[in-house]
Amino acid sequence: MAFLSKNFLLRTMRLLHRSKSTVNIPQKGLPSFVKIVEVGPRDGLQNEKSPVPTDVKVELINRLSDTGLQVVEATSFVSPKWIPQLADHREIMTQIKKYPGVNYPVLTPNVKGFEAAIEAGAKEVAMFIAASEAFSRKNTNCSIAESLERSQSLVNAAKEANIPVRAYVSCVIGCPYEGKIDPNKVAEVAKKMYEMGCYEISLGDTIGVGTPSAMQEVIRLVTQEIPVDKVAVHCHDTYGQALANIYAALQMGVSVVDSSVAGLGGCPYAKGATGNVATEDVVYMLDGLGIQTGVNLQKLIAAGDFISKALGRPTMSRVAKAMSSKL
């Protein structure tokens, strides 16, 4: 099992440093800066079957915080009965080093989880809702309409505490139970979450079946209802389409991208949903497009190497693998 050596990482740093002599200018129509929302510590690790020690999670978050990322989603305040991997949410929030300029949102599925998160020191929360009726019932045991009612209660509690709320909309292109999802339904759900008070809406291709044209159609309809600067994309790479879909989203004006270091993750409630797109691969692509992220790629690769070693398997990042093969 091959991992990245210290010599390789040093060599990568030198190559990247030399490459900076060529200044890339963003292509016309693309954003000049993209905010990356790192979801690895939460969405990436939640599906791991073997327990990941708390100190490993804390170290991963600290390493990611040192890369220049502005957002590192730390954990989820969900019942350990449903996701035992994240039962140590309180310990994580109290043990991580809080870097200046870095936000550490946590997922809170309900008001009870929200209250526990605030007690643990969370300053921002995220919530989720599905654009698929079947997925909503399988995942939360309620309809989309009922889920919206529950969401309003959480948002109201957050407003009272002056806590910003981000919303994930799952299954925006396809569902493991329903198949293709009507993009108009996605736009309807996104609009309701935005009007409810969520400051940003992340559109999730939960099972990774999307293609660039499908992604652009969803974004076209969603941005008829909410501003494009309030839209993010969250792409899984099940069919190898994640980077293409992200690029398609950039062409539509989206400038916020969710990703997971080392390509960790997969929705535990969506059969066949493999990992999120690797943050290393996203940063490499954006660097090549001349789009700023503020993220240090070599530090990011090192963080991915750290968690891959801790999990006992190679990184899923194609960029990290390709660089490793040059040794």
Side-chain angles (χ1 to χ4, degrees), residues 146-166:
E146 291 168 332
S147 185
L148 284 166
E149 290 180 11
R150 295 180 185 181
S151 298
Q152 185 67 71
S153 298
L154 195 158
V155 172
N156 290 344
K159 286 180 179 178
E160 290 181 9
N162 198 28
I163 297 292
V165 181
R166 187 179 198 249

Side-chain angles (χ1 to χ4, degrees), residues 9 47 56 112 122 155 189 226 247 258 276 280 291 309 320:
L9 292 172
N47 210 30
V56 171
K112 183 178 179 180
V155 172
V189 171
I226 66 176
Y247 185 78
D258 298 356
N276 294 288
E280 299 95 318
I291 298 173
K309 286 180 176 177

Side-chain angles (χ1 to χ4, degrees), residues 35 69-74 99-105 123-124 199:
K35 180 180 76 174
L69 287 160
Q70 294 182 355
V71 184
V72 180
E73 193 176 55
Y99 279 62
V102 180
N103 293 330
Y104 300 92
K123 302 299 182 185
E124 180 179 326
Y199 79 90

Side-chain angles (χ1 to χ4, degrees), residues 172-288:
V172 301
I173 295 176
C175 168
Y177 312 110
E178 285 186 27
K180 180 178 172 57
I181 297 299
D182 181 357
N184 289 288
K185 185 64 177 179
V186 178
E188 177 188 339
V189 171
K191 178 183 179 182
K192 289 179 179 178
M193 297 304 290
Y194 180 67
E195 291 179 341
M196 194 179 291
C198 297
Y199 79 90
E200 193 168 88
I201 312 297
S202 179
L203 305 176
D205 182 13
T206 308
I207 56 174
V209 296
T211 58
S213 61
M215 176 61 74
Q216 290 191 335
E217 177 63 7
V218 169
I219 293 171
R220 183 183 71 80
L221 291 173
V222 168
T223 54
Q224 288 178 3
E225 305 295 342
I226 66 176
V228 70
D229 63 349
K230 305 301 181 182
V231 175
V233 290
H234 183 115
C235 300
H236 285 230
D237 205 30
T238 314
Y239 286 79
Q241 299 294 296
L243 287 178
N245 291 339
I246 290 169
Y247 185 78
L250 299 177
Q251 291 179 312
M252 298 294 289
V254 173
S255 60
V256 183
V257 174
D258 298 356
S259 60
S260 178
V261 67
L264 299 173
C267 179
Y269 302 108
K271 184 178 179 181
T274 53
N276 294 288
V277 65
T279 308
E280 299 95 318
D281 298 0
V282 174
V283 171
Y284 181 86
M285 180 183 76
L286 295 175
D287 282 351

Side-chain angles (χ1 to χ4, degrees), residues 106-161:
V106 299
L107 188 69
T108 56
N110 50 44
V111 173
K112 183 178 179 180
F114 170 79
E115 292 172 346
I118 300 309
E119 289 177 6
K123 302 299 182 185
E124 180 179 326
V125 300
M127 59 192 299
F128 60 85
I129 189 168
S132 157
E133 197 68 55
F135 190 85
S136 181
R137 292 186 181 279
K138 290 273 189 179
N139 195 4
T140 62
N141 198 33
C142 67
S143 67
I144 293 175
E146 291 168 332
S147 185
L148 284 166
E149 290 180 11
R150 295 180 185 181
S151 298
Q152 185 67 71
S153 298
L154 195 158
V155 172
N156 290 344
K159 286 180 179 178
E160 290 181 9

